[in-house]
mmCIF file of all heavy atoms in Angstrom:
data_model
loop_
_atom_site.group_PDB
_atom_site.id
_atom_site.type_symbol
_atom_site.label_atom_id
_atom_site.label_comp_id
_atom_site.label_asym_id
_atom_site.label_seq_id
_atom_site.Cartn_x
_atom_site.Cartn_y
_atom_site.Cartn_z
ATOM 1 N N ASN L 255 11.284 -10.763 3.487
ATOM 2 C CA ASN L 255 11.731 -9.444 3.321
ATOM 3 C C ASN L 255 10.533 -8.393 3.711
ATOM 4 O O ASN L 255 10.780 -7.315 4.220
ATOM 5 C CB ASN L 255 12.218 -9.139 1.949
ATOM 6 C CG ASN L 255 13.477 -9.829 1.713
ATOM 7 O OD1 ASN L 255 14.244 -10.172 2.485
ATOM 8 N ND2 ASN L 255 13.662 -10.129 0.351
ATOM 9 N N PHE L 256 9.362 -8.742 3.335
ATOM 10 C CA PHE L 256 8.214 -7.928 3.592
ATOM 11 C C PHE L 256 7.974 -7.825 5.083
ATOM 12 O O PHE L 256 7.663 -6.718 5.593
ATOM 13 C CB PHE L 256 6.902 -8.596 2.893
ATOM 14 C CG PHE L 256 5.665 -7.761 2.964
ATOM 15 C CD1 PHE L 256 5.604 -6.703 2.062
ATOM 16 C CD2 PHE L 256 4.783 -8.021 3.962
ATOM 17 C CE1 PHE L 256 4.377 -6.008 2.193
ATOM 18 C CE2 PHE L 256 3.536 -7.151 4.010
ATOM 19 C CZ PHE L 256 3.374 -6.189 3.086
ATOM 20 N N LYS L 257 8.125 -8.938 5.783
ATOM 21 C CA LYS L 257 8.069 -8.899 7.236
ATOM 22 C C LYS L 257 9.071 -7.901 7.898
ATOM 23 O O LYS L 257 8.718 -7.134 8.744
ATOM 24 C CB LYS L 257 8.250 -10.289 7.899
ATOM 25 C CG LYS L 257 7.104 -11.252 7.575
ATOM 26 C CD LYS L 257 7.553 -12.710 7.828
ATOM 27 C CE LYS L 257 7.891 -12.870 9.379
ATOM 28 N NZ LYS L 257 8.193 -14.296 9.687
ATOM 29 N N LYS L 258 10.336 -7.806 7.480
ATOM 30 C CA LYS L 258 11.250 -6.832 7.850
ATOM 31 C C LYS L 258 10.916 -5.498 7.608
ATOM 32 O O LYS L 258 10.995 -4.614 8.526
ATOM 33 C CB LYS L 258 12.546 -7.131 7.264
ATOM 34 C CG LYS L 258 13.176 -8.494 7.601
ATOM 35 C CD LYS L 258 14.584 -8.850 6.844
ATOM 36 C CE LYS L 258 15.060 -10.254 7.159
ATOM 37 N NZ LYS L 258 16.351 -10.616 6.399
ATOM 38 N N ASP L 259 10.338 -5.243 6.459
ATOM 39 C CA ASP L 259 9.978 -3.779 6.185
ATOM 40 C C ASP L 259 8.687 -3.408 7.000
ATOM 41 O O ASP L 259 8.571 -2.302 7.383
ATOM 42 C CB ASP L 259 9.559 -3.769 4.707
ATOM 43 C CG ASP L 259 10.747 -3.881 3.788
ATOM 44 O OD1 ASP L 259 11.849 -3.547 4.223
ATOM 45 O OD2 ASP L 259 10.590 -4.324 2.605
ATOM 46 N N MET L 260 7.910 -4.382 7.320
ATOM 47 C CA MET L 260 6.712 -4.114 8.164
ATOM 48 C C MET L 260 6.997 -3.672 9.565
ATOM 49 O O MET L 260 6.364 -2.739 10.115
ATOM 50 C CB MET L 260 5.796 -5.222 8.108
ATOM 51 C CG MET L 260 4.842 -5.375 6.877
ATOM 52 S SD MET L 260 3.655 -4.012 6.927
ATOM 53 C CE MET L 260 2.726 -4.140 8.417
ATOM 54 N N LYS L 261 8.142 -4.214 10.167
ATOM 55 C CA LYS L 261 8.608 -3.818 11.401
ATOM 56 C C LYS L 261 8.842 -2.429 11.680
ATOM 57 O O LYS L 261 8.736 -1.902 12.728
ATOM 58 C CB LYS L 261 9.790 -4.750 11.832
ATOM 59 C CG LYS L 261 9.339 -6.321 12.070
ATOM 60 C CD LYS L 261 10.482 -7.044 12.661
ATOM 61 C CE LYS L 261 10.155 -8.518 12.787
ATOM 62 N NZ LYS L 261 11.349 -9.315 13.215
ATOM 63 N N LYS L 262 9.387 -1.811 10.562
ATOM 64 C CA LYS L 262 9.672 -0.505 10.561
ATOM 65 C C LYS L 262 8.432 0.425 10.876
ATOM 66 O O LYS L 262 8.586 1.504 11.377
ATOM 67 C CB LYS L 262 10.323 -0.035 9.322
ATOM 68 C CG LYS L 262 11.655 -0.741 8.955
ATOM 69 C CD LYS L 262 12.132 -0.320 7.566
ATOM 70 C CE LYS L 262 13.256 -1.228 7.121
ATOM 71 N NZ LYS L 262 13.761 -0.944 5.774
ATOM 72 N N CYS L 263 7.313 0.002 10.458
ATOM 73 C CA CYS L 263 6.004 0.790 10.511
ATOM 74 C C CYS L 263 5.130 0.316 11.665
ATOM 75 O O CYS L 263 4.118 0.844 11.773
ATOM 76 C CB CYS L 263 5.356 0.709 9.175
ATOM 77 S SG CYS L 263 6.273 1.014 7.672
ATOM 78 N N ASP L 264 5.493 -0.629 12.330
ATOM 79 C CA ASP L 264 4.648 -1.456 13.213
ATOM 80 C C ASP L 264 3.656 -0.544 14.044
ATOM 81 O O ASP L 264 2.491 -0.284 13.580
ATOM 82 C CB ASP L 264 5.513 -2.361 14.243
ATOM 83 C CG ASP L 264 4.647 -3.323 14.825
ATOM 84 O OD1 ASP L 264 3.470 -3.533 14.361
ATOM 85 O OD2 ASP L 264 5.148 -4.070 15.722
ATOM 86 N N HIS L 265 4.055 -0.026 15.176
ATOM 87 C CA HIS L 265 3.195 0.709 16.044
ATOM 88 C C HIS L 265 3.665 2.233 16.191
ATOM 89 O O HIS L 265 3.316 2.794 17.229
ATOM 90 C CB HIS L 265 2.920 0.062 17.248
ATOM 91 C CG HIS L 265 2.262 -1.116 17.230
ATOM 92 N ND1 HIS L 265 0.950 -1.301 16.738
ATOM 93 C CD2 HIS L 265 2.672 -2.588 17.456
ATOM 94 C CE1 HIS L 265 0.604 -2.600 16.678
ATOM 95 N NE2 HIS L 265 1.588 -3.273 17.039
ATOM 96 N N HIS L 266 4.583 2.649 15.317
ATOM 97 C CA HIS L 266 5.363 3.931 15.514
ATOM 98 C C HIS L 266 4.236 5.047 15.343
ATOM 99 O O HIS L 266 4.150 5.965 16.195
ATOM 100 C CB HIS L 266 6.292 4.027 14.461
ATOM 101 C CG HIS L 266 6.948 5.442 14.520
ATOM 102 N ND1 HIS L 266 7.625 5.868 15.690
ATOM 103 C CD2 HIS L 266 7.183 6.331 13.399
ATOM 104 C CE1 HIS L 266 8.147 6.985 15.370
ATOM 105 N NE2 HIS L 266 7.910 7.395 14.098
ATOM 106 N N ILE L 267 3.385 5.022 14.407
ATOM 107 C CA ILE L 267 2.363 6.151 14.224
ATOM 108 C C ILE L 267 1.344 5.990 15.332
ATOM 109 O O ILE L 267 0.866 6.997 15.839
ATOM 110 C CB ILE L 267 1.609 5.847 12.958
ATOM 111 C CG1 ILE L 267 2.553 6.021 11.732
ATOM 112 C CG2 ILE L 267 0.434 6.879 12.689
ATOM 113 C CD1 ILE L 267 3.229 7.268 11.513
ATOM 114 N N ALA L 268 1.075 4.823 15.840
ATOM 115 C CA ALA L 268 0.055 4.799 17.065
ATOM 116 C C ALA L 268 0.595 5.490 18.177
ATOM 117 O O ALA L 268 -0.128 6.135 18.921
ATOM 118 C CB ALA L 268 -0.304 3.331 17.284
ATOM 119 N N ASP L 269 1.951 5.242 18.486
ATOM 120 C CA ASP L 269 2.540 5.927 19.604
ATOM 121 C C ASP L 269 2.453 7.448 19.379
ATOM 122 O O ASP L 269 2.415 8.197 20.434
ATOM 123 C CB ASP L 269 4.012 5.475 19.816
ATOM 124 C CG ASP L 269 4.093 3.869 20.174
ATOM 125 O OD1 ASP L 269 3.003 3.439 20.698
ATOM 126 O OD2 ASP L 269 5.090 3.363 19.839
ATOM 127 N N LEU L 270 2.860 7.944 18.173
ATOM 128 C CA LEU L 270 2.871 9.292 17.958
ATOM 129 C C LEU L 270 1.426 9.910 18.212
ATOM 130 O O LEU L 270 1.334 11.000 18.681
ATOM 131 C CB LEU L 270 3.348 9.554 16.455
ATOM 132 C CG LEU L 270 4.873 9.519 16.251
ATOM 133 C CD1 LEU L 270 5.105 9.690 14.758
ATOM 134 C CD2 LEU L 270 5.644 10.419 17.083
ATOM 135 N N ARG L 271 0.363 9.085 17.793
ATOM 136 C CA ARG L 271 -0.899 9.616 17.880
ATOM 137 C C ARG L 271 -1.377 9.684 19.401
ATOM 138 O O ARG L 271 -2.088 10.598 19.799
ATOM 139 C CB ARG L 271 -1.856 8.691 17.242
ATOM 140 C CG ARG L 271 -3.431 9.157 17.336
ATOM 141 C CD ARG L 271 -4.400 8.151 16.512
ATOM 142 N NE ARG L 271 -5.639 8.283 17.078
ATOM 143 C CZ ARG L 271 -6.702 7.655 16.636
ATOM 144 N NH1 ARG L 271 -6.667 6.698 15.830
ATOM 145 N NH2 ARG L 271 -7.901 7.934 17.124
ATOM 146 N N LYS L 272 -0.921 8.695 20.173
ATOM 147 C CA LYS L 272 -1.054 8.889 21.727
ATOM 148 C C LYS L 272 -0.402 10.086 22.265
ATOM 149 O O LYS L 272 -1.043 10.705 23.050
ATOM 150 C CB LYS L 272 -0.671 7.508 22.321
ATOM 151 C CG LYS L 272 -1.409 6.339 22.009
ATOM 152 C CD LYS L 272 -0.836 5.134 22.596
ATOM 153 C CE LYS L 272 -1.559 3.816 22.337
ATOM 154 N NZ LYS L 272 -0.993 2.553 22.947
ATOM 155 N N GLN L 273 0.760 10.306 21.758
ATOM 156 C CA GLN L 273 1.428 11.495 22.345
ATOM 157 C C GLN L 273 0.647 12.790 21.784
ATOM 158 O O GLN L 273 0.613 13.755 22.668
ATOM 159 C CB GLN L 273 2.873 11.623 21.771
ATOM 160 C CG GLN L 273 3.689 12.660 22.185
ATOM 161 C CD GLN L 273 5.040 12.686 21.664
ATOM 162 O OE1 GLN L 273 5.179 12.838 20.476
ATOM 163 N NE2 GLN L 273 6.150 12.712 22.489
ATOM 164 N N LEU L 274 0.100 12.778 20.628
ATOM 165 C CA LEU L 274 -0.646 13.908 20.070
ATOM 166 C C LEU L 274 -1.770 14.195 20.916
ATOM 167 O O LEU L 274 -2.097 15.263 21.382
ATOM 168 C CB LEU L 274 -0.960 13.768 18.710
ATOM 169 C CG LEU L 274 -1.790 14.833 18.015
ATOM 170 C CD1 LEU L 274 -1.050 16.170 17.932
ATOM 171 C CD2 LEU L 274 -2.243 14.401 16.606
ATOM 172 N N ALA L 275 -2.481 13.038 21.324
ATOM 173 C CA ALA L 275 -3.822 13.199 22.186
ATOM 174 C C ALA L 275 -3.347 13.786 23.497
ATOM 175 O O ALA L 275 -4.111 14.498 24.109
ATOM 176 C CB ALA L 275 -4.368 11.856 22.231
ATOM 177 N N SER L 276 -2.361 13.261 23.970
ATOM 178 C CA SER L 276 -1.830 13.741 25.372
ATOM 179 C C SER L 276 -1.544 15.279 25.423
ATOM 180 O O SER L 276 -1.879 16.058 26.187
ATOM 181 C CB SER L 276 -0.596 13.018 25.818
ATOM 182 O OG SER L 276 -0.159 13.413 27.085
ATOM 183 N N ARG L 277 -0.812 15.665 24.337
ATOM 184 C CA ARG L 277 -0.461 17.007 24.182
ATOM 185 C C ARG L 277 -1.773 17.902 23.965
ATOM 186 O O ARG L 277 -1.811 19.011 24.503
ATOM 187 C CB ARG L 277 0.478 17.262 23.042
ATOM 188 C CG ARG L 277 1.743 16.607 23.070
ATOM 189 C CD ARG L 277 2.646 16.970 24.208
ATOM 190 N NE ARG L 277 4.100 16.366 24.060
ATOM 191 C CZ ARG L 277 4.810 16.342 25.067
ATOM 192 N NH1 ARG L 277 4.454 16.819 26.220
ATOM 193 N NH2 ARG L 277 6.015 15.784 24.849
ATOM 194 N N TYR L 278 -2.719 17.488 23.216
ATOM 195 C CA TYR L 278 -3.980 18.083 23.086
ATOM 196 C C TYR L 278 -4.666 18.369 24.311
ATOM 197 O O TYR L 278 -5.215 19.385 24.598
ATOM 198 C CB TYR L 278 -4.816 17.329 22.016
ATOM 199 C CG TYR L 278 -6.001 17.989 21.625
ATOM 200 C CD1 TYR L 278 -6.054 19.040 20.547
ATOM 201 C CD2 TYR L 278 -7.260 17.814 22.173
ATOM 202 C CE1 TYR L 278 -7.142 19.546 20.163
ATOM 203 C CE2 TYR L 278 -8.387 18.415 21.804
ATOM 204 C CZ TYR L 278 -8.387 19.383 20.830
ATOM 205 O OH TYR L 278 -9.537 19.981 20.483
ATOM 206 N N ALA L 279 -4.763 17.258 25.177
ATOM 207 C CA ALA L 279 -5.439 17.271 26.509
ATOM 208 C C ALA L 279 -4.661 18.241 27.383
ATOM 209 O O ALA L 279 -5.418 18.970 28.154
ATOM 210 C CB ALA L 279 -5.405 15.859 27.107
ATOM 211 N N ALA L 280 -3.381 18.398 27.294
ATOM 212 C CA ALA L 280 -2.664 19.187 28.048
ATOM 213 C C ALA L 280 -2.950 20.707 27.647
ATOM 214 O O ALA L 280 -3.079 21.578 28.525
ATOM 215 C CB ALA L 280 -1.080 19.014 27.935
ATOM 216 N N VAL L 281 -3.105 20.969 26.454
ATOM 217 C CA VAL L 281 -3.506 22.255 26.003
ATOM 218 C C VAL L 281 -4.838 22.743 26.435
ATOM 219 O O VAL L 281 -5.121 23.948 26.989
ATOM 220 C CB VAL L 281 -3.430 22.417 24.362
ATOM 221 C CG1 VAL L 281 -4.047 23.594 23.935
ATOM 222 C CG2 VAL L 281 -1.982 22.252 23.903
#
Side-chain angles (χ1 to χ4, degrees):
N255 295 331
F256 188 80
K257 287 169 61 177
K258 295 177 183 178
D259 292 333
M260 277 295 298
K261 287 183 178 179
K262 302 175 185 176
C263 309
D264 197 7
H265 297 293
H266 181 54
I267 297 297
D269 293 339
L270 288 176
R271 178 182 167 181
K272 290 178 182 178
Q273 185 184 60
L274 177 63
S276 175
R277 301 297 189 196
Y278 186 85
V281 169

